[in-house]
Amino acid sequence: MSSFATLPLNYPKAIRKLDETVVSRINAGEVIHRPVNVVKELIENSLDANATAIEVTVKDGGMKSIVIQDNGCGIRKEDLEIVCERFTTSKLQVFEDLLEMQTYGFRGEALAAISHISYPKSNVVPMAANDGTVITVENLFYNLVMRKNALNSYSHEYNLILELLTKYAVNNSNKAAFSLKKFGDNCDLNTNIENKSIENIRGLYGANIANNLSELSFEDSNRLKFSMTGFTSNQNIHQKSFVFILFINNRLVECSSLKKAIDLVYSNYLLKSCHPFVYLDIKIDPKNVDVNVHPTKNEVHFLHEQEICEKVVQIIESKLTDGRETRRLNTEPNPLINASFSQISMASVDESPKRNTNEKCVQMNRKSPKVSHTETTPKRPHKQIRTDSKDRKIDEYLLNAKKMNKSRRDLKLNSVSSLRQKVSEESDSRLQEMICNSSYVGCADETFVLFQFETQLLLVNAYNLNIELFYQLFLVDFGNFAKIRFRKPLLISDLVKPYIEELNKSIDSDTQSSQTLDVTQIETILMGKSEMLSDYFSLDISADRQLISLPIILEGFIPNFAFLPQFLYSLAKDVNWDKEKECFESIGKVLANFYAKPPNKFNSNLDHQKWAKVVESVIYPKYKQLLCPPKRLSDNSTFFVTTRLSDLYKVFERC
């Protein structure tokens, strides 16, 4: 038995210096993860040697053999004995050389790491050959069985190598020619040194991408001290994955934050499941770049990183904006847009959407939309509705909402039942049918959204629609609201005082006393009704006149709190507190008007995206499931017909 077995558990173990072989193998595991890392290190050495032709041949995905041949300056004979030792390099001599580093390699670890996880060949013999270097790596990971078994198939590893060489070929256009092939096969990649970047992109990624690219060029020689060239795709691109090629000072690196930011910008311009192509070649003052931060050199850090990334995103977005005219919605007044609602055709559809009737315990008597089956008639192209199997829209969003498991109270109030019946009686079956059978297209701005109904594209005033929706949700969940609790209660006086001051400025001084309430009056009214407001509407007010909570009328939706002062003022002034039915009706309308307020003006695409996500995932499903649209919505400019498929056919037929 080992002597260590008799030692107590808390006895300190001896610290030993690792054997040099163990150290080298650990280091090799950090630098070389898979065959593509070997290829990357070796082709970068070739580029550092000023090679203009680099040939790569692999066998079994690089596991059996990797051969890289170049026509660079080669290696001196006297350096061959130490070329595979750790920290042997021709790139630097002192640490300060890193401040001016412009080569790919500098640490002298690549060949050493490779030699410790593949069969070494130490014989140095003279032979006839072309100028340059030929390096052969065989039986990769022969002594790291777990690493070898964790790799994917040979074809997958080969595809990673192909992807790597493709990116380097694009970035080194007019500098070096690249070729790649499997052992015994024809070349899968073969570029010409005379090709320009766009020509290599066309040959390697296809004409569809090359024909839809915009060239980038920017330079800031003042504070940020960087320049950028490259290509970005426009809105007409259609590819399944995001191709992002980023070179910083000729190094192929990754920057997840920049990639996410660019992807977010494109999400506002591309259809669902479509992704962009972005190639960026960024040059930064070497003194501002730290290249020694990652074992495989896949990442670099640089000065003003956030500002440079924001500038890059801004430049890309400006290119997209410049080319957006062909896809922009024209909302200027014209006879087509100003068509009355009666011009919207109510053609029959094949099937009405399915709705979950058990989601709410209490619902108004919503009229079922009429659905009739079309007869078998010859189909006309301009009468057909095009739908995509993937249900493509302008944006792609997902809501992860948590449902409240709150037990419901069955409040049998005649006044509430009467208000529900009134909503049902005022509903317009034509509007209801149109909304139920519509498809969400996108969010135009803070107020308007786009629906498709039949062959028509509708511009809808969501604010008008939301007032009706929130009022009806108020009646459906009357007395059963969950609560939005403020982390810190809000003084009512602090909220309404600035609003009253602004309101008084717009009213003549002679009529202020009769038309407006002061802070004390508002506090007195709300405090006097606080018990009812809390019990029925989950609107809690503390004894020290602080607002504690608001009701959740629609799960997953938070109102615009910028209108909270106006809401409190209207709640005190515009509610008829004397009669039960009128009281509940006016409270519901004040709440609905507050919750329906649009968001503040978008300051960025991120604001637009967040609001569009709420509209598509939270509000629009409730339109289809619950809304009983009143007849007045057909007369108050809530719905506009922007275009019809038949009209588009006429335009294109003339072309």
Side-chain angles (χ1 to χ4, degrees):
M1 181 180 294
S2 171
S3 60
F4 288 102
T6 61
L7 295 176
L9 294 176
N10 60 350
Y11 189 83
K13 296 181 180 180
I15 298 176
R16 301 174 179 80
K17 185 176 181 179
L18 291 175
D19 183 85
E20 189 64 29
T21 304
V22 177
V23 174
S24 298
R25 290 178 64 179
I26 292 174
N27 172 72
E30 293 178 350
V31 177
I32 307 300
H33 298 162
R34 57 200 326 144
V36 68
N37 299 124
V38 174
V39 176
K40 181 177 183 292
E41 295 288 347
L42 295 181
I43 66 170
E44 287 180 346
N45 283 349
S46 298
L47 292 170
D48 280 339
N50 298 318
T52 59
I54 301 174
E55 300 177 5
V56 182
T57 305
V58 301
K59 186 176 183 180
D60 292 345
M63 298 298 298
K64 189 69 175 177
S65 172
I66 299 175
V67 180
I68 296 184
Q69 180 177 354
D70 66 58
N71 63 347
C73 62
I75 304 172
R76 298 192 311 166
K77 180 180 179 180
E78 52 267 32
D79 292 335
L80 291 175
E81 294 293 338
I82 64 170
V83 72
C84 288
E85 294 183 9
R86 292 192 68 191
F87 305 120
T88 55
T89 178
S90 62
K91 313 301 170 51
L92 57 82
Q93 294 182 354
V94 295
F95 184 80
E96 286 71 21
D97 290 341
L98 281 173
L99 300 179
E100 300 289 342
M101 186 57 58
Q102 298 187 26
T103 57
Y104 293 96
F106 53 89
R107 290 193 295 248
E109 289 185 291
L111 291 177
I114 295 170
S115 68
H116 283 93
I117 54 176
S118 62
Y119 282 141
K121 290 185 178 180
S122 57
N123 295 330
V124 179
V125 295
M127 61 181 296
N130 297 324
D131 291 339
T133 305
V134 179
I135 294 182
T136 302
V137 179
E138 296 182 343
N139 295 324
L140 195 61
F141 300 125
Y142 79 98
N143 53 357
L144 294 175
V145 179
M146 291 184 62
R147 176 69 61 83
K148 185 176 182 178
N149 293 337
L151 296 177
N152 292 316
S153 63
Y154 293 156
S155 60
H156 177 78
E157 299 300 327
Y158 180 79
N159 288 335
L160 292 178
I161 296 173
L162 177 60
E163 180 183 358
L164 175 79
L165 285 218
T166 300
K167 293 178 179 179
Y168 271 91
V170 170
N171 191 65
N172 289 276
S173 302
N174 287 131
K175 299 177 184 177
F178 289 82
S179 69
L180 170 67
K181 66 177 181 178
K182 297 178 182 178
F183 186 79
D185 288 353
N186 296 325
C187 289
D188 291 313
L189 180 148
N190 192 9
T191 64
N192 193 314
I193 192 174
E194 297 179 356
N195 287 352
K196 297 180 180 179
S197 295
I198 189 65
E199 293 172 337
N200 277 340
I201 292 174
R202 186 182 304 277
L204 299 172
Y205 288 98
N208 178 53
I209 290 179
N211 293 338
N212 290 286
L213 294 181
S214 300
E215 188 171 2
L216 300 177
S217 181
F218 176 81
E219 183 174 1
D220 182 349
S221 57
N222 298 322
R223 180 171 173 271
L224 299 180
K225 295 182 179 180
F226 86 102
S227 63
M228 178 184 69
T229 58
F231 293 91
T232 59
S233 57
N234 57 28
Q235 306 97 309
N236 300 319
I237 201 75
H238 294 89
Q239 60 177 11
K240 296 180 179 179
S241 60
F242 184 5
V243 178
F244 183 59
I245 307 174
L246 174 62
F247 282 83
I248 296 180
N249 288 1
N250 293 323
R251 294 180 180 278
L252 178 63
V253 296
E254 297 175 356
C255 184
S256 58
S257 60
L258 179 59
K259 182 177 181 180
K260 290 179 181 178
I262 294 174
D263 198 20
L264 183 60
V265 168
Y266 271 97
S267 67
N268 297 307
Y269 296 87
L270 299 182
L271 296 174
K272 178 182 177 181
S273 301
C274 292
H275 299 278
F277 174 96
V278 177
Y279 159 56
L280 301 176
D281 183 16
I282 300 176
K283 298 292 193 299
I284 304 175
D285 188 341
K287 295 180 180 179
N288 295 342
V289 181
D290 185 358
V291 296
N292 193 27
V293 296
H294 196 277
T296 62
K297 301 190 283 274
N298 278 348
E299 297 177 7
V300 295
H301 290 169
F302 47 91
L303 196 63
H304 310 303
E305 183 168 343
Q306 182 176 355
E307 295 174 68
I308 290 177
C309 289
E310 289 177 354
K311 188 64 178 178
V312 170
V313 172
Q314 180 183 347
I315 295 169
I316 292 175
E317 186 168 14
S318 67
K319 281 289 183 180
L320 289 171
T321 304
D322 292 342
R324 197 178 182 182
E325 290 297 325
T326 57
R327 299 168 65 98
R328 183 175 296 168
L329 175 65
N330 180 15
T331 57
E332 296 180 0
N334 61 59
L336 185 61
I337 293 181
N338 292 329
S340 64
F341 177 76
S342 60
Q343 292 176 290
I344 302 178
S345 66
M346 288 295 172
S348 301
V349 294
D350 293 334
E351 185 179 0
S352 61
K354 298 179 180 179
R355 299 184 299 279
N356 183 4
T357 57
N358 297 323
E359 183 170 338
K360 295 290 181 182
C361 298
V362 182
Q363 287 199 3
M364 290 167 284
N365 296 324
R366 187 168 186 252
K367 300 175 184 178
S368 300
K370 297 180 181 180
V371 180
S372 61
H373 296 280
T374 56
E375 298 179 359
T376 304
T377 56
K379 295 184 178 181
R380 302 176 182 177
H382 65 284
K383 297 280 188 179
Q384 296 181 29
I385 306 171
R386 289 334 196 263
T387 58
D388 193 285
S389 60
K390 297 180 181 178
D391 194 21
R392 292 188 171 185
K393 306 178 182 70
I394 287 181
D395 308 300
E396 180 181 3
Y397 303 100
L398 177 65
L399 176 68
N400 295 319
K402 295 182 178 179
K403 295 186 177 181
M404 305 294 294
N405 295 321
K406 181 181 177 182
S407 58
R408 294 182 62 89
R409 297 185 297 175
D410 187 12
L411 299 175
K412 298 181 179 179
L413 299 175
N414 292 334
S415 56
V416 177
S417 299
S418 176
L419 292 174
R420 292 172 180 166
Q421 183 63 30
K422 181 181 178 182
V423 169
S424 297
E425 292 173 354
E426 292 179 351
S427 65
D428 189 323
S429 59
R430 297 184 309 151
L431 285 175
Q432 183 180 336
E433 178 185 353
M434 183 193 70
I435 293 172
C436 284
N437 297 316
S438 68
S439 298
Y440 174 82
V441 177
C443 183
D445 60 13
E446 299 89 341
T447 304
F448 289 92
V449 296
L450 292 166
F451 294 171
Q452 178 187 339
F453 174 66
E454 295 289 328
T455 60
Q456 301 157 113
L457 183 66
L458 306 178
L459 186 66
V460 182
N461 188 320
Y463 173 65
N464 292 346
L465 217 55
N466 287 343
I467 290 177
E468 305 299 333
L469 174 66
F470 283 110
Y471 177 70
Q472 293 173 26
L473 286 171
F474 163 81
L475 294 177
V476 168
D477 276 337
F478 187 94
N480 292 281
F481 301 109
K483 296 180 180 180
I484 304 173
R485 290 191 176 274
F486 298 104
R487 292 181 181 177
K488 183 179 179 181
L490 306 173
L491 274 173
I492 294 176
S493 59
D494 290 345
L495 290 171
V496 300
K497 186 177 180 180
Y499 177 75
I500 294 174
E501 292 175 353
E502 291 296 322
L503 192 63
N504 287 334
K505 291 179 182 179
S506 61
I507 301 176
D508 295 337
S509 58
D510 296 336
T511 58
Q512 282 183 10
S513 58
S514 61
Q515 293 188 6
T516 61
L517 301 177
D518 58 30
V519 175
T520 303
Q521 289 174 313
I522 293 173
E523 289 180 329
T524 302
I525 293 173
L526 297 182
M527 288 298 299
K529 307 298 180 182
S530 60
E531 185 177 353
M532 181 189 69
L533 292 174
S534 176
D535 184 29
Y536 286 153
F537 313 116
S538 297
L539 201 156
D540 295 334
I541 300 174
S542 65
D544 50 357
R545 305 186 176 190
Q546 291 182 327
L547 182 64
I548 299 175
S549 68
L550 290 173
I552 298 177
I553 295 182
L554 176 57
E555 198 171 307
F557 179 85
I558 302 296
N560 186 351
F561 291 121
F563 295 95
L564 187 56
Q566 179 182 347
F567 162 68
L568 292 174
Y569 183 86
S570 297
L571 190 61
K573 185 177 186 298
D574 299 332
V575 173
N576 184 346
W577 301 99
D578 298 329
K579 297 182 180 180
E580 180 179 294
K581 179 179 177 181
E582 287 76 5
C583 175
F584 292 158
E585 182 179 22
S586 54
I587 290 176
K589 290 183 177 180
V590 170
L591 278 168
N593 188 65
F594 169 52
Y595 279 75
K597 292 291 187 184
N600 298 330
K601 186 174 178 62
F602 299 144
N603 293 321
S604 66
N605 286 327
L606 183 60
D607 294 338
H608 191 166
Q609 183 186 22
K610 288 180 179 179
W611 174 242
K613 178 180 179 180
V614 173
V615 172
E616 180 180 7
S617 302
V618 180
I619 298 176
Y620 179 71
K622 287 298 179 183
Y623 290 160
K624 303 186 71 169
Q625 173 200 336
L626 182 138
L627 183 63
C628 297
K631 297 179 178 65
R632 58 180 172 272
L633 290 183
S634 62
D635 302 322
N636 67 351
S637 302
T638 299
F639 296 90
F640 295 93
V641 182
T642 62
T643 188
R644 296 182 181 85
L645 189 61
S646 58
D647 297 309
L648 293 177
Y649 263 86
K650 294 177 183 177
V651 173
F652 287 109
E653 283 173 357
R654 289 196 297 268
C655 296

